[in-house]
Amino acid sequence: MTKPPRSKPLLRDTEAPIRSRPSRKRNPAQPQLLFDPMPERVEPALAQLKAHPPQGPEWSWEVKWDGYRLAVHIEPQGVRILTRGGHDWTHRFPAIEEAARALGPATMIIDGEAVVLDEEGRPDFGLLQQSLGASGKRPGTRASDAILYAFDLLYLDGHDLRGVEYRTRQHLLEDTVKGQDGAIRLSETLDADPVILLEHARDFGLEGIVGKHRDQPYRSGRTGDWVKVKCVASEAFFIVGYEPSASSPAGFGSLLLGAYHDGTIVDVGSVGTGFKEAEATKLRKMLDKLRWKQKRPPIPYAEEADIVWVHPTLIAEIEFRAWTGDGKLRHAAYKGLRERQDNADVFQLD
């Protein structure tokens, strides 16, 4: 077989060796484009609750996902998945970890929400809570069917993006994860009037919508740059006791709930619906291990009732319709337990 002819050098016409130009000293007037070190952890930006969505082209809207807030760190040495409170839950979300590795070798920090979808494609906090084992399963259970909806990008390839306006971060995030249909997916922005979006979210059984100011940087805490409008109110409360049930001796009639007020825990009413029988039995066993042994209740309580008080350790996610005039929940329903490590934002009464 005849060998193909050797190609001529593309960068020279002669056989003379190529030499680079001698390097010159850097002009002091030019900036030194240094890389930003990747933060070990970023305190998350939080959305302020609003009764009505603000209007204007400066707001970007998306679905409010009902799950666990996570930060996915893709680093040269591997992937770390941190909860809102800074706990490493990488081992508890194996599918998300695997999808994050596939996004490499770029380094980045993705802000998002881990959810488990029901048969209708809607996020179901109860299913996520069950898969993580928050209601009686072995602690540390994996949520292999959880997916992450990514809604912000805080760091990318040596550049800290927190000082960049949201619209630019969103474009970079879309370039990074758009088209992914595995365990990491893009939380799409919705181009419509937020009032109409809220109606559609309510019709589809979603928790609500989130708005983000397009021109603001990423600021940790509840600054007003992000807002949330809920179809049905849902907040986290302490379980401070339970009422025994004559019809279900292994369970309970209702749970007593508490919220923060001026640094102390106060009574905000009770919840008696939303429990499955097996779930109530497991929860009763957990509560009996936390029984309050002092004579005075753990919270101020004036009513006459047969209450078994417990240490305010367990945190429940409660859905409700409104508040009464004396600060109690109306039409409350139990959704599931929040894990303490998730740093659940226990409701603060004004």
Side-chain angles (χ1 to χ4, degrees):
M1 180 182 291
T2 306
K3 292 184 178 180
R6 294 181 63 183
S7 60
K8 292 184 178 181
L10 299 177
L11 300 180
R12 62 178 182 260
D13 295 324
T14 67
E15 295 300 321
I18 298 175
R19 288 184 171 87
S20 62
R21 292 181 180 179
S23 60
R24 294 179 297 176
K25 290 185 178 180
R26 189 186 67 83
N27 183 352
Q30 292 179 337
Q32 296 205 43
L33 298 177
L34 299 177
F35 287 117
D36 302 315
M38 179 182 281
E40 280 291 314
R41 175 178 174 264
V42 176
E43 192 72 31
L46 303 175
Q48 282 187 352
L49 181 62
K50 297 288 185 181
H52 306 284
Q55 297 285 341
E58 68 274 19
W59 290 97
S60 173
W61 295 95
E62 60 192 85
V63 167
K64 185 182 187 307
W65 302 105
D66 192 10
Y68 275 168
R69 182 75 172 272
L70 297 178
V72 179
H73 291 238
I74 304 175
E75 303 166 340
Q77 61 270 30
V79 172
R80 290 188 302 138
I81 301 176
L82 304 182
T83 69
R84 175 175 157 179
H87 295 275
D88 192 329
W89 278 11
T90 309
H91 63 289
R92 306 193 70 182
F93 294 100
I96 296 175
E97 180 189 7
E98 183 179 351
R101 290 184 186 280
L103 291 176
T107 57
M108 65 187 80
I109 300 177
I110 297 173
D111 191 2
E113 190 97 353
V115 302
V116 171
L117 303 178
D118 65 11
E119 295 178 354
E120 302 286 333
R122 296 171 299 198
D124 188 319
F125 178 77
L127 292 177
L128 176 62
Q129 171 252 349
Q130 290 172 26
S131 67
L132 284 172
S135 62
K137 279 189 183 179
R138 179 176 54 85
T141 305
R142 292 178 162 201
S144 300
D145 49 354
I147 61 176
L148 182 89
Y149 276 101
F151 48 64
D152 214 325
L153 189 63
L154 312 187
Y155 184 92
L156 179 64
D157 276 343
H159 299 289
D160 194 329
L161 304 179
R162 288 175 290 176
V164 178
E165 69 277 3
Y166 172 71
R167 66 175 75 235
T168 301
R169 301 197 313 272
Q170 182 65 19
H171 288 319
L172 292 171
L173 178 66
E174 289 176 357
D175 290 343
T176 303
V177 302
K178 194 168 186 178
Q180 303 284 328
D181 59 356
I184 295 181
R185 305 176 188 179
L186 179 67
S187 179
E188 302 272 359
T189 55
L190 307 170
D191 186 17
D193 186 302
V195 176
I196 297 175
L197 288 177
L198 191 63
E199 292 176 0
H200 284 297
R202 184 179 293 110
D203 293 341
F204 195 58
L206 299 174
E207 192 180 10
I209 57 176
V210 172
K212 298 172 182 175
H213 201 292
R214 298 179 189 270
D215 301 322
Q216 294 297 334
Y218 189 95
R219 296 193 292 169
S220 301
R222 228 177 285 276
T223 62
D225 298 340
W226 293 12
V227 298
K228 58 185 177 183
V229 188
K230 293 187 176 183
C231 304
V232 177
S234 177
E235 300 289 351
F237 299 94
F238 284 116
I239 300 176
V240 296
Y242 67 85
E243 291 186 84
S245 170
S247 60
S248 178
F252 46 81
S254 63
L255 298 176
L256 269 72
L257 305 172
Y260 281 122
H261 179 62
D262 290 338
T264 61
I265 303 175
V266 298
D267 170 37
V268 293
S270 61
V271 57
T273 61
F275 308 96
K276 295 179 180 177
E277 185 174 351
E279 188 175 28
T281 302
K282 290 179 181 178
L283 191 52
R284 168 69 183 269
K285 292 179 180 178
M286 297 170 70
L287 292 171
D288 283 341
K289 294 178 181 178
L290 297 171
R291 286 205 180 200
W292 186 261
K293 297 181 180 179
Q294 302 178 32
K295 290 185 178 181
R296 181 176 295 180
I299 62 170
Y301 195 77
E303 297 181 27
E304 294 284 338
D306 182 16
I307 305 295
V308 177
W309 300 104
V310 300
H311 287 270
T313 300
L314 298 181
I315 300 171
E317 188 75 13
I318 304 296
E319 194 174 85
F320 58 98
R321 297 289 174 180
W323 291 88
T324 64
D326 59 349
K328 302 295 190 294
L329 300 173
R330 292 184 61 190
H331 306 294
Y334 175 84
K335 291 179 66 178
L337 284 183
R338 284 275 183 187
E339 295 203 26
R340 193 80 176 185
Q341 285 186 337
D342 183 41
N343 193 26
D345 192 13
V346 175
F347 190 78
Q348 301 264 356
L349 280 171
D350 294 332

